[in-house]
Amino acid sequence: MPAPKSLMAPAEKWWRHAVIYQIYPRSFADGNGDGIGDIPGIINRLPHIAGLGIDAIWVSPFYTSPQKDAGYDVADFCDIDPIFGTLADAEKLIDTAHELGLRIIVDIVPNHSSSQHEWFQQALAAPPGSPERARYMFREGRGENAELPPNNWESVFGGSAWTRVTEKDGSAGQWYLHLFDSSQPDFNWENLEVWEFFRGVLRFWLDRGVDGFRVDVAHGLVKLEGLPDAVATDQPAVGNVGPQWNQPGVHEIYRDWRKVLDEYGDDRVMCAEAWVFPLSDMARYVRSDEMDQAFNFAYMATKWDANALRRVIVESLEAFDSVGAPSTWVLSNHDVVRHASRYGIDATTKAQPTGFGPTSAHKPDEVWGLAVARAATTVMLALPGSAYLYQGEELGLPEVIGIPDNKRQDPTFFRTSGERYGRDGCRVPIPWVKDATAFGFNDSGKTWLPQPSSFGPLSRDQQEGTEGSTLELYKKLLALRSSLRLGTGAVEWLPGYGDSIVAFTNCGIAVIANAGDAEVALPDGELLISSAPLSGHSLPPNTTAWVKLAD
Ligand code: GLC
Ligand code: CA
């Protein structure tokens, strides 16, 4: 039994309490004006982000890719797509981040490649049963003429998870598995060649100085033996469940990767994207000989409800602590409705599973949503462990709802014939300067998704130095979190507050969040910050405050 991480790793390990800011390259900053963000754009704007007071950046995929899934369809894992720049640009980005005092984590996508990857092209050209096909999940179809897919699995983006190929002689041939888009064939992790290949990818980026990896779809790589049908259920699934997800064999892969990272010292990290519940199951990904962090999606999915929040905080701390790992906290990323809009949906309304659009039945209340989002972030940044931020949330950006159908890009929208709007609304290029072309995203005015005029007043230049702005709130929260060392502390519940209040202490401050509908008195002490103005020493609804308790 390896020693638990809490003994092995001193609390000072940077990632245990780091605030990590996600950059989504397509939408961050566009250096050459083609409408798509790129690495030179990131390098140019990175000092603004360093100035927020974060510890690290995570950069979503910038690899060679036909961009059928915004770069999560990788055609070459060891090169940069020309739309984002060159390998030299990526190396410069790594150096620039380090010069600014930031660590840098890159995305790795091991569940699938792009169908344009040379291995998949070779597999298509090779016959059934060949070593080329054995790198992916090819199977014979069912039915008299193999005209039915090998099983009933569905793609996460909608439709069947199988696509049939045409063999060289023109006949309808085998089927290949894709848990996502048909342009994203799943690798066969039963094949040791795939293992060796990914060790090489890890080393390629570690050699270039990256501090770690965010591991895409970490719970999908290994499928249940025999690929049995998924059992249909009327219950809405919480997380990904079924024979295609969270199989015990995935852990062997991360134990292997751990050894590769450890060749580079003891501070390179892996963070799992694993949509696995309950949290005790998610915690298995961060056992001492596997990864370091896992995105806390249970926390992200929790509504602004004091009981639910207290429960998920306790459950998170217990689950991760039981394996010696820190908890992470996250409210937004490039796959979910931005939290400033998510909280604007009535708690009793069932939101669309992914995304909003012009015809969605329920639209978020943006004023309410932003107030709750600021209060929720003020809770999150007081919690011990590591927190992830998604570009634009520090500006309080809402989900963009009005994207016309003919401008949408997410494969989810197309694979469900528009039934699910998908994720474009959280991926719109972010605003830097109100009175500039494309709000300063570039100087050509082209943007791969249209920006709404409501982004103008939310632009960074409007919020910088502006009392009460969401940007100034984030900066102050981050500065306090760091000086008070909240990331290394511990939660103790404060008694005496009602059911609708979340109240705890950490490192000598009281954190009080009001999820009810009446004002509540704050404890005695010095008010350090609040997510909205207070009335005297009382906390209004949908507001969170930090109070330094008198000794
Ligand atoms: C992850 C990514 C998502 C992508 C999917 C397939 O969930 O976060 O953006 O579409 O994997 O790679
Ligand atoms: Ca560009």
Side-chain angles (χ1 to χ4, degrees):
M1 268 283 280
K5 263 188 198 139
S6 48
L7 299 181
M8 279 182 356
E12 279 61 40
K13 282 262 173 266
W14 70 273
W15 47 268
R16 295 187 73 90
H17 48 81
V19 177
I20 302 173
Y21 180 98
Q22 178 187 0
I23 291 183
Y24 191 70
R26 296 178 67 86
S27 303
F28 186 74
D30 175 16
N32 66 357
D34 66 353
I36 304 176
D38 46 44
I39 301 176
I42 301 176
I43 293 173
N44 185 25
R45 295 287 197 183
L46 200 53
H48 294 267
I49 300 308
L52 268 177
I54 50 154
D55 302 291
I57 53 172
W58 147 35
V59 187
S60 279
F62 45 26
Y63 312 110
T64 314
S65 160
Q67 303 288 316
K68 299 276 193 227
D69 183 25
Y72 282 92
D73 49 320
V74 180
D76 185 343
F77 292 85
C78 298
D79 205 352
I80 301 298
D81 197 281
I83 64 170
F84 296 127
T86 62
L87 191 53
D89 289 331
E91 287 167 346
K92 189 167 166 210
L93 173 61
I94 296 167
D95 292 345
T96 307
H98 288 159
E99 281 157 22
L100 290 167
L102 301 174
R103 314 262 179 167
I104 173 168
I105 291 172
V106 295
D107 227 298
I108 188 162
V109 189
N111 181 68
H112 44 264
S113 71
S114 158
S115 53
Q116 294 305 311
H117 193 280
E118 63 169 353
W119 270 11
F120 194 72
Q121 289 300 313
Q122 289 164 6
L124 289 179
S130 60
E132 288 83 358
R133 290 229 169 152
R135 293 163 176 155
Y136 293 91
M137 304 287 287
F138 281 89
R139 292 290 185 279
E140 300 301 329
R142 292 195 287 197
E144 220 169 294
N145 301 308
E147 74 282 11
L148 299 172
N151 68 25
N152 70 352
W153 295 0
E154 278 176 22
S155 154
V156 173
F157 295 158
S160 172
W162 295 91
T163 293
R164 195 170 192 183
V165 302
T166 305
E167 302 296 355
K168 260 209 163 133
D169 61 6
S171 63
Q174 288 192 304
W175 297 72
Y176 68 89
L177 176 69
H178 50 86
L179 293 183
F180 294 88
D181 189 52
S182 56
S183 64
Q184 294 167 296
D186 279 47
F187 281 116
N188 172 19
W189 277 91
E190 300 282 312
N191 185 339
L192 293 181
E193 220 188 322
V194 173
W195 287 59
E196 194 48 39
F197 176 77
F198 272 96
R199 287 182 199 119
V201 175
L202 293 171
R203 291 196 182 101
F204 181 90
W205 291 104
L206 290 164
D207 284 340
R208 277 160 186 77
V210 302
D211 298 285
F213 301 91
R214 175 267 187 190
V215 182
D216 191 66
V217 198
H219 58 314
L221 281 50
V222 174
K223 283 79 180 173
L224 186 60
E225 178 87 53
L227 313 185
D229 275 348
V231 180
T233 146
D234 303 336
Q235 300 301 314
V238 186
N240 297 130
V241 286
Q244 60 280 58
W245 304 113
N246 195 30
Q247 298 301 315
V250 294
H251 298 288
E252 287 310 313
I253 299 169
Y254 307 126
R255 292 198 179 101
D256 185 64
W257 288 17
R258 173 86 265 151
K259 292 189 200 124
V260 175
L261 266 74
D262 288 349
E263 292 165 13
Y264 292 79
D266 62 0
D267 62 353
R268 311 286 176 121
V269 297
M270 287 184 281
C271 179
E273 187 220 16
W275 294 86
V276 164
F277 300 99
L279 279 160
S280 52
D281 245 31
M282 185 183 275
R284 295 164 63 83
Y285 288 78
V286 292
R287 287 176 291 186
S288 61
D289 55 350
E290 297 189 38
M291 302 206 208
D292 306 286
Q293 301 182 325
F295 292 114
N296 190 340
F297 293 132
Y299 184 72
M300 187 168 79
T302 302
K303 297 229 158 91
W304 182 241
D305 171 286
N307 288 318
L309 280 166
R310 275 191 299 268
R311 253 196 323 269
V312 74
I313 292 170
V314 168
E315 202 191 322
S316 304
L317 294 169
E318 280 177 5
F320 290 112
D321 200 47
S322 74
V323 291
S327 184
T328 66
W329 312 101
V330 59
L331 293 172
S332 277
N333 66 32
H334 66 294
D335 289 328
V336 299
V337 171
R338 281 188 178 276
H339 69 282
S341 294
R342 217 169 56 226
Y343 289 124
I345 294 291
D346 190 302
T348 58
T349 309
K350 200 174 167 308
Q352 294 220 358
T354 57
F356 285 101
T359 66
S360 296
H362 304 279
K363 306 247 177 19
D365 175 335
E366 288 187 354
V367 174
W368 178 282
L370 181 58
V372 175
R374 291 168 55 123
T377 299
T378 306
V379 173
M380 175 174 91
L381 290 176
L383 291 167
S386 173
Y388 276 82
L389 307 177
Y390 174 51
Q391 68 181 33
E393 69 167 85
E394 77 279 20
L395 305 175
L397 294 188
E399 184 82 356
V400 179
I401 293 178
I403 302 171
D405 288 3
N406 65 1
K407 292 274 171 18
R408 292 207 173 252
Q409 309 264 344
D410 185 350
T412 311
F413 183 70
F414 304 105
R415 293 185 62 89
T416 62
S417 309
E419 193 194 311
R420 286 197 252 151
Y421 276 106
R423 304 160 295 176
D424 292 323
C426 64
R427 299 176 173 182
V428 173
I430 61 173
W432 296 86
V433 182
K434 176 167 171 269
D435 293 316
T437 315
F439 301 125
F441 171 66
N442 61 21
D443 49 24
S444 71
K446 276 198 235 162
T447 58
W448 70 283
L449 286 171
Q451 296 170 301
S453 56
S454 63
F455 270 18
L458 295 172
S459 297
R460 192 168 304 260
D461 74 324
Q462 300 297 296
Q463 299 200 41
E464 197 88 62
T466 304
E467 171 87 31
S469 72
T470 303
L471 179 59
E472 290 304 319
L473 173 69
Y474 269 71
K475 281 201 214 160
K476 195 164 170 202
L477 288 170
L478 289 165
L480 284 168
R481 176 185 167 87
S482 157
S483 65
L484 296 164
R485 300 182 53 77
L486 300 182
T488 63
V491 167
E492 272 187 54
W493 299 106
L494 264 178
Y497 287 88
D499 235 23
S500 56
I501 309 297
V502 178
F504 61 88
T505 62
N506 178 10
C507 297
I509 67 154
V511 178
I512 317 286
N514 187 351
D517 44 24
E519 285 193 358
V520 55
L522 288 174
D524 288 343
E526 179 200 347
L527 176 72
L528 296 177
I529 190 164
S530 63
S531 64
L534 302 189
S535 40
H537 207 60
S538 289
L539 188 68
N542 296 339
T543 309
T544 302
W546 296 2
V547 176
K548 188 165 176 32
L549 296 173
D551 293 328

